[in-house]
Amino acid sequence: MFPVSRMQKIIKADRELPIVAKEAVFAISIATEEFIKRITSASQKQAERDKRTTVQKRHVAVVVKRADEFFFLEDVLMWEQEEPVSRLRKKAGGSVGNTSKGEFVSSSQKFSDRNEIK
């Protein structure tokens, strides 16, 4: 379980929230732990389906995109679909940099990438 004192500090960092009772902080701590268990478990299963032993960002992004339970995170993780590495290598006739089947980009990264292209 997350330390209650750490959760209190996180909650107090949001100045818009009024004073929160210790019981509520405890409940938020338990809910946060359950959320992390569920998203990591689903991401691990996705990695196993991809025959990977390490959970990568793209596995979390796939879970967020496919599972209704995590749909609220879709705005946080913007999805970009890219061609698989094997196809790009065949087209380019050589090695390709750090490209994957798909990866997610945070909203801020996508915004900064657009500004750099222009």
Side-chain angles (χ1 to χ4, degrees), residues 81-105:
Q81 187 65 32
E82 296 179 7
E83 290 187 57
V85 175
S86 59
R87 286 188 186 167
L88 290 173
R89 284 193 179 144
K90 288 177 185 174
K91 286 181 182 177
S95 67
V96 176
N98 191 8
T99 308
S100 60
K101 287 183 180 176
E103 59 184 44
F104 72 88
V105 181

PDB file of all heavy atoms in Angstrom, residues 81-105:
ATOM      1  N   GLN A  81       0.095   5.478 -34.994  1.00  0.00           N
ATOM      2  CA  GLN A  81       0.356   4.177 -35.588  1.00  0.00           C
ATOM      3  C   GLN A  81       1.464   4.337 -36.614  1.00  0.00           C
ATOM      4  O   GLN A  81       1.416   5.206 -37.477  1.00  0.00           O
ATOM      5  CB  GLN A  81      -0.911   3.636 -36.259  1.00  0.00           C
ATOM      6  CG  GLN A  81      -0.790   2.236 -36.765  1.00  0.00           C
ATOM      7  CD  GLN A  81      -0.591   1.232 -35.652  1.00  0.00           C
ATOM      8  OE1 GLN A  81      -1.084   1.393 -34.560  1.00  0.00           O
ATOM      9  NE2 GLN A  81       0.148   0.190 -35.930  1.00  0.00           N
ATOM     10  N   GLU A  82       2.471   3.489 -36.512  1.00  0.00           N
ATOM     11  CA  GLU A  82       3.566   3.504 -37.465  1.00  0.00           C
ATOM     12  C   GLU A  82       3.648   2.142 -38.137  1.00  0.00           C
ATOM     13  O   GLU A  82       3.101   1.168 -37.657  1.00  0.00           O
ATOM     14  CB  GLU A  82       4.883   3.793 -36.739  1.00  0.00           C
ATOM     15  CG  GLU A  82       4.908   5.163 -36.102  1.00  0.00           C
ATOM     16  CD  GLU A  82       6.211   5.416 -35.378  1.00  0.00           C
ATOM     17  OE1 GLU A  82       7.128   4.578 -35.485  1.00  0.00           O
ATOM     18  OE2 GLU A  82       6.308   6.442 -34.728  1.00  0.00           O
ATOM     19  N   GLU A  83       4.400   2.081 -39.236  1.00  0.00           N
ATOM     20  CA  GLU A  83       4.583   0.811 -39.916  1.00  0.00           C
ATOM     21  C   GLU A  83       5.504  -0.078 -39.098  1.00  0.00           C
ATOM     22  O   GLU A  83       6.396   0.408 -38.421  1.00  0.00           O
ATOM     23  CB  GLU A  83       5.204   1.040 -41.297  1.00  0.00           C
ATOM     24  CG  GLU A  83       4.268   1.712 -42.273  1.00  0.00           C
ATOM     25  CD  GLU A  83       4.856   1.760 -43.654  1.00  0.00           C
ATOM     26  OE1 GLU A  83       5.184   0.674 -44.181  1.00  0.00           O
ATOM     27  OE2 GLU A  83       5.005   2.852 -44.181  1.00  0.00           O
ATOM     28  N   PRO A  84       5.305  -1.386 -39.168  1.00  0.00           N
ATOM     29  CA  PRO A  84       6.203  -2.292 -38.460  1.00  0.00           C
ATOM     30  C   PRO A  84       7.640  -2.145 -38.942  1.00  0.00           C
ATOM     31  O   PRO A  84       7.885  -1.804 -40.106  1.00  0.00           O
ATOM     32  CB  PRO A  84       5.667  -3.681 -38.803  1.00  0.00           C
ATOM     33  CG  PRO A  84       4.260  -3.455 -39.227  1.00  0.00           C
ATOM     34  CD  PRO A  84       4.214  -2.074 -39.814  1.00  0.00           C
ATOM     35  N   VAL A  85       8.592  -2.403 -38.071  1.00  0.00           N
ATOM     36  CA  VAL A  85      10.008  -2.248 -38.378  1.00  0.00           C
ATOM     37  C   VAL A  85      10.404  -3.115 -39.558  1.00  0.00           C
ATOM     38  O   VAL A  85      11.137  -2.677 -40.436  1.00  0.00           O
ATOM     39  CB  VAL A  85      10.865  -2.609 -37.139  1.00  0.00           C
ATOM     40  CG1 VAL A  85      12.336  -2.577 -37.481  1.00  0.00           C
ATOM     41  CG2 VAL A  85      10.566  -1.669 -35.998  1.00  0.00           C
ATOM     42  N   SER A  86       9.912  -4.350 -39.620  1.00  0.00           N
ATOM     43  CA  SER A  86      10.300  -5.261 -40.698  1.00  0.00           C
ATOM     44  C   SER A  86       9.939  -4.693 -42.063  1.00  0.00           C
ATOM     45  O   SER A  86      10.708  -4.798 -43.006  1.00  0.00           O
ATOM     46  CB  SER A  86       9.658  -6.632 -40.507  1.00  0.00           C
ATOM     47  OG  SER A  86       8.254  -6.499 -40.484  1.00  0.00           O
ATOM     48  N   ARG A  87       8.778  -4.065 -42.197  1.00  0.00           N
ATOM     49  CA  ARG A  87       8.374  -3.463 -43.478  1.00  0.00           C
ATOM     50  C   ARG A  87       9.267  -2.282 -43.824  1.00  0.00           C
ATOM     51  O   ARG A  87       9.649  -2.106 -44.959  1.00  0.00           O
ATOM     52  CB  ARG A  87       6.934  -2.995 -43.427  1.00  0.00           C
ATOM     53  CG  ARG A  87       5.935  -4.097 -43.477  1.00  0.00           C
ATOM     54  CD  ARG A  87       4.556  -3.524 -43.611  1.00  0.00           C
ATOM     55  NE  ARG A  87       3.560  -4.564 -43.512  1.00  0.00           N
ATOM     56  CZ  ARG A  87       2.290  -4.351 -43.342  1.00  0.00           C
ATOM     57  NH1 ARG A  87       1.843  -3.113 -43.238  1.00  0.00           N
ATOM     58  NH2 ARG A  87       1.447  -5.348 -43.265  1.00  0.00           N
ATOM     59  N   LEU A  88       9.585  -1.468 -42.823  1.00  0.00           N
ATOM     60  CA  LEU A  88      10.422  -0.303 -43.080  1.00  0.00           C
ATOM     61  C   LEU A  88      11.826  -0.723 -43.491  1.00  0.00           C
ATOM     62  O   LEU A  88      12.423  -0.113 -44.366  1.00  0.00           O
ATOM     63  CB  LEU A  88      10.483   0.598 -41.840  1.00  0.00           C
ATOM     64  CG  LEU A  88       9.191   1.333 -41.499  1.00  0.00           C
ATOM     65  CD1 LEU A  88       9.338   2.056 -40.167  1.00  0.00           C
ATOM     66  CD2 LEU A  88       8.849   2.330 -42.585  1.00  0.00           C
ATOM     67  N   ARG A  89      12.343  -1.759 -42.889  1.00  0.00           N
ATOM     68  CA  ARG A  89      13.682  -2.233 -43.247  1.00  0.00           C
ATOM     69  C   ARG A  89      13.697  -2.750 -44.672  1.00  0.00           C
ATOM     70  O   ARG A  89      14.641  -2.514 -45.415  1.00  0.00           O
ATOM     71  CB  ARG A  89      14.128  -3.325 -42.285  1.00  0.00           C
ATOM     72  CG  ARG A  89      14.547  -2.768 -40.954  1.00  0.00           C
ATOM     73  CD  ARG A  89      15.277  -3.794 -40.144  1.00  0.00           C
ATOM     74  NE  ARG A  89      15.664  -3.171 -38.886  1.00  0.00           N
ATOM     75  CZ  ARG A  89      15.682  -3.774 -37.738  1.00  0.00           C
ATOM     76  NH1 ARG A  89      15.327  -5.031 -37.651  1.00  0.00           N
ATOM     77  NH2 ARG A  89      16.048  -3.150 -36.647  1.00  0.00           N
ATOM     78  N   LYS A  90      12.641  -3.447 -45.091  1.00  0.00           N
ATOM     79  CA  LYS A  90      12.579  -3.959 -46.460  1.00  0.00           C
ATOM     80  C   LYS A  90      12.510  -2.809 -47.454  1.00  0.00           C
ATOM     81  O   LYS A  90      13.152  -2.819 -48.483  1.00  0.00           O
ATOM     82  CB  LYS A  90      11.369  -4.873 -46.636  1.00  0.00           C
ATOM     83  CG  LYS A  90      11.521  -6.206 -45.950  1.00  0.00           C
ATOM     84  CD  LYS A  90      10.274  -7.048 -46.102  1.00  0.00           C
ATOM     85  CE  LYS A  90      10.378  -8.323 -45.308  1.00  0.00           C
ATOM     86  NZ  LYS A  90       9.122  -9.083 -45.322  1.00  0.00           N
ATOM     87  N   LYS A  91      11.718  -1.778 -47.128  1.00  0.00           N
ATOM     88  CA  LYS A  91      11.580  -0.637 -48.025  1.00  0.00           C
ATOM     89  C   LYS A  91      12.884   0.161 -48.099  1.00  0.00           C
ATOM     90  O   LYS A  91      13.312   0.572 -49.153  1.00  0.00           O
ATOM     91  CB  LYS A  91      10.462   0.295 -47.558  1.00  0.00           C
ATOM     92  CG  LYS A  91       9.085  -0.228 -47.805  1.00  0.00           C
ATOM     93  CD  LYS A  91       8.061   0.783 -47.333  1.00  0.00           C
ATOM     94  CE  LYS A  91       6.658   0.268 -47.515  1.00  0.00           C
ATOM     95  NZ  LYS A  91       5.662   1.201 -46.999  1.00  0.00           N
ATOM     96  N   ALA A  92      13.512   0.381 -46.940  1.00  0.00           N
ATOM     97  CA  ALA A  92      14.705   1.207 -46.884  1.00  0.00           C
ATOM     98  C   ALA A  92      15.940   0.436 -47.323  1.00  0.00           C
ATOM     99  O   ALA A  92      16.938   1.027 -47.694  1.00  0.00           O
ATOM    100  CB  ALA A  92      14.903   1.744 -45.461  1.00  0.00           C
ATOM    101  N   GLY A  93      15.870  -0.886 -47.239  1.00  0.00           N
ATOM    102  CA  GLY A  93      17.013  -1.691 -47.636  1.00  0.00           C
ATOM    103  C   GLY A  93      18.126  -1.675 -46.598  1.00  0.00           C
ATOM    104  O   GLY A  93      19.253  -2.027 -46.890  1.00  0.00           O
ATOM    105  N   GLY A  94      17.857  -1.255 -45.413  1.00  0.00           N
ATOM    106  CA  GLY A  94      18.880  -1.214 -44.368  1.00  0.00           C
ATOM    107  C   GLY A  94      18.238  -1.114 -43.013  1.00  0.00           C
ATOM    108  O   GLY A  94      17.074  -1.421 -42.834  1.00  0.00           O
ATOM    109  N   SER A  95      19.021  -0.674 -42.077  1.00  0.00           N
ATOM    110  CA  SER A  95      18.493  -0.585 -40.718  1.00  0.00           C
ATOM    111  C   SER A  95      17.725   0.711 -40.540  1.00  0.00           C
ATOM    112  O   SER A  95      17.952   1.697 -41.215  1.00  0.00           O
ATOM    113  CB  SER A  95      19.631  -0.664 -39.703  1.00  0.00           C
ATOM    114  OG  SER A  95      20.440   0.477 -39.819  1.00  0.00           O
ATOM    115  N   VAL A  96      16.821   0.670 -39.619  1.00  0.00           N
ATOM    116  CA  VAL A  96      15.986   1.815 -39.315  1.00  0.00           C
ATOM    117  C   VAL A  96      16.221   2.159 -37.865  1.00  0.00           C
ATOM    118  O   VAL A  96      16.453   1.285 -37.041  1.00  0.00           O
ATOM    119  CB  VAL A  96      14.495   1.475 -39.557  1.00  0.00           C
ATOM    120  CG1 VAL A  96      13.603   2.616 -39.148  1.00  0.00           C
ATOM    121  CG2 VAL A  96      14.292   1.127 -41.009  1.00  0.00           C
ATOM    122  N   GLY A  97      16.129   3.426 -37.550  1.00  0.00           N
ATOM    123  CA  GLY A  97      16.352   3.871 -36.175  1.00  0.00           C
ATOM    124  C   GLY A  97      15.377   3.267 -35.199  1.00  0.00           C
ATOM    125  O   GLY A  97      14.909   2.159 -35.377  1.00  0.00           O
ATOM    126  N   ASN A  98      15.027   3.987 -34.202  1.00  0.00           N
ATOM    127  CA  ASN A  98      14.184   3.513 -33.117  1.00  0.00           C
ATOM    128  C   ASN A  98      12.716   3.607 -33.525  1.00  0.00           C
ATOM    129  O   ASN A  98      12.022   4.519 -33.154  1.00  0.00           O
ATOM    130  CB  ASN A  98      14.463   4.352 -31.872  1.00  0.00           C
ATOM    131  CG  ASN A  98      13.830   3.755 -30.645  1.00  0.00           C
ATOM    132  OD1 ASN A  98      13.320   2.654 -30.689  1.00  0.00           O
ATOM    133  ND2 ASN A  98      13.883   4.496 -29.559  1.00  0.00           N
ATOM    134  N   THR A  99      12.256   2.652 -34.322  1.00  0.00           N
ATOM    135  CA  THR A  99      10.867   2.628 -34.773  1.00  0.00           C
ATOM    136  C   THR A  99      10.221   1.350 -34.286  1.00  0.00           C
ATOM    137  O   THR A  99      10.847   0.307 -34.276  1.00  0.00           O
ATOM    138  CB  THR A  99      10.795   2.664 -36.319  1.00  0.00           C
ATOM    139  OG1 THR A  99      11.573   3.748 -36.774  1.00  0.00           O
ATOM    140  CG2 THR A  99       9.377   2.809 -36.787  1.00  0.00           C
ATOM    141  N   SER A 100       8.965   1.435 -33.896  1.00  0.00           N
ATOM    142  CA  SER A 100       8.256   0.255 -33.422  1.00  0.00           C
ATOM    143  C   SER A 100       6.911   0.174 -34.121  1.00  0.00           C
ATOM    144  O   SER A 100       6.547   1.047 -34.889  1.00  0.00           O
ATOM    145  CB  SER A 100       8.066   0.342 -31.905  1.00  0.00           C
ATOM    146  OG  SER A 100       7.320   1.485 -31.585  1.00  0.00           O
ATOM    147  N   LYS A 101       6.159  -0.889 -33.843  1.00  0.00           N
ATOM    148  CA  LYS A 101       4.842  -1.067 -34.448  1.00  0.00           C
ATOM    149  C   LYS A 101       3.949   0.118 -34.163  1.00  0.00           C
ATOM    150  O   LYS A 101       3.227   0.574 -35.000  1.00  0.00           O
ATOM    151  CB  LYS A 101       4.175  -2.327 -33.907  1.00  0.00           C
ATOM    152  CG  LYS A 101       4.755  -3.586 -34.429  1.00  0.00           C
ATOM    153  CD  LYS A 101       3.991  -4.766 -33.888  1.00  0.00           C
ATOM    154  CE  LYS A 101       4.557  -6.052 -34.416  1.00  0.00           C
ATOM    155  NZ  LYS A 101       3.910  -7.214 -33.844  1.00  0.00           N
ATOM    156  N   GLY A 102       3.994   0.591 -32.981  1.00  0.00           N
ATOM    157  CA  GLY A 102       3.184   1.726 -32.569  1.00  0.00           C
ATOM    158  C   GLY A 102       3.679   2.194 -31.230  1.00  0.00           C
ATOM    159  O   GLY A 102       4.214   1.430 -30.463  1.00  0.00           O
ATOM    160  N   GLU A 103       3.559   3.455 -30.994  1.00  0.00           N
ATOM    161  CA  GLU A 103       3.952   3.957 -29.694  1.00  0.00           C
ATOM    162  C   GLU A 103       3.056   5.118 -29.345  1.00  0.00           C
ATOM    163  O   GLU A 103       2.411   5.693 -30.199  1.00  0.00           O
ATOM    164  CB  GLU A 103       5.425   4.375 -29.691  1.00  0.00           C
ATOM    165  CG  GLU A 103       5.761   5.447 -30.700  1.00  0.00           C
ATOM    166  CD  GLU A 103       7.240   5.758 -30.737  1.00  0.00           C
ATOM    167  OE1 GLU A 103       8.038   4.822 -30.719  1.00  0.00           O
ATOM    168  OE2 GLU A 103       7.566   6.949 -30.783  1.00  0.00           O
ATOM    169  N   PHE A 104       3.015   5.445 -28.072  1.00  0.00           N
ATOM    170  CA  PHE A 104       2.184   6.555 -27.695  1.00  0.00           C
ATOM    171  C   PHE A 104       3.061   7.767 -27.423  1.00  0.00           C
ATOM    172  O   PHE A 104       4.224   7.663 -27.121  1.00  0.00           O
ATOM    173  CB  PHE A 104       1.291   6.227 -26.494  1.00  0.00           C
ATOM    174  CG  PHE A 104       2.024   6.121 -25.196  1.00  0.00           C
ATOM    175  CD1 PHE A 104       2.226   7.240 -24.423  1.00  0.00           C
ATOM    176  CD2 PHE A 104       2.482   4.908 -24.741  1.00  0.00           C
ATOM    177  CE1 PHE A 104       2.876   7.145 -23.228  1.00  0.00           C
ATOM    178  CE2 PHE A 104       3.137   4.808 -23.545  1.00  0.00           C
ATOM    179  CZ  PHE A 104       3.336   5.929 -22.785  1.00  0.00           C
ATOM    180  N   VAL A 105       2.469   8.911 -27.608  1.00  0.00           N
ATOM    181  CA  VAL A 105       3.164  10.164 -27.402  1.00  0.00           C
ATOM    182  C   VAL A 105       2.279  11.010 -26.506  1.00  0.00           C
ATOM    183  O   VAL A 105       1.077  11.087 -26.719  1.00  0.00           O
ATOM    184  CB  VAL A 105       3.373  10.889 -28.755  1.00  0.00           C
ATOM    185  CG1 VAL A 105       4.120  12.184 -28.561  1.00  0.00           C
ATOM    186  CG2 VAL A 105       4.078   9.985 -29.735  1.00  0.00           C
TER     187      VAL A 105
END
